[in-house]
Amino acid sequence: MRSFKLLDRLLGRNAEPFVPGAHLSALSSKMEAGQCWIVPEGAVVVPSPPEPKYPEAERIAASIRDFPEDWGWERKGYDLVHIPSGFRLWVANEDYGLAEVHPNNGKTDFTKPEQAIIWPAVADWLGHRKVGFTGRLPKATITGRRGTYWCFAQEHPWAGVGSSPAEAYRIWKFAISVEARVDISPGEYLQLRSVKL
């Protein structure tokens, strides 16, 4: 655009319809911060969005909200892990606060304003992943060798040991279910083993 046409446009001498943004490119190339500029009548000036004060907290909260399937438990009930990157987030206690967990198990705490940004997303993630108690025992596996039978399940750290499959299951059931313990005879001993080291 020739400078005379721009000057005519700025002074209102031209009757051409104004197209927002069409003539501003000539001005924007010479604009500098802190200087005063005349903008054509009818131009819409939009302020740039403010820079976030806590960009890391915003990114973490957005990731938890928008891609919840990318997050899982590293240690159930203690810290979440962002599976693609390995980033770990301590979430065990809201009063204690949120922290980034390092590979050596050290932690860097987030500030209170950062926690205020991240906690709602974490609380929503935790709320959607709660599994209520159904009252049914999980599916157990029973194995045996030389007259000794073992009963265990992947979700529980205990194995019941007995001389028959029914006895091994009964002992395992007593170990993991409070409701099943009402059937224990007084003075009866249970043979349990830990299946996790």
Side-chain angles (χ1 to χ4, degrees), residues 57-71 82 121:
E58 295 283 349
R59 283 194 305 273
I60 293 168
S63 174
I64 294 171
R65 258 191 322 273
D66 299 340
F67 304 101
E69 64 279 354
D70 286 352
W71 292 83
H82 183 246

Side-chain angles (χ1 to χ4, degrees), residues 15-89:
E16 291 179 26
F18 175 72
V19 178
H23 302 293
L24 291 178
S25 60
L27 285 175
S28 64
S29 64
K30 297 182 181 180
M31 283 184 157
E32 294 179 22
Q35 290 186 350
C36 185
W37 290 92
I38 298 172
V39 180
E41 186 178 339
V44 178
V45 179
V46 179
S48 61
E51 291 289 323
K53 282 187 170 181
Y54 305 101
E56 183 181 9
E58 295 283 349
R59 283 194 305 273
I60 293 168
S63 174
I64 294 171
R65 258 191 322 273
D66 299 340
F67 304 101
E69 64 279 354
D70 286 352
W71 292 83
W73 287 111
E74 177 72 20
R75 290 180 298 165
K76 188 161 181 142
Y78 292 96
D79 49 326
L80 294 177
V81 63
H82 183 246
I83 297 163
S85 67
F87 173 80
R88 288 171 37 193
L89 184 66

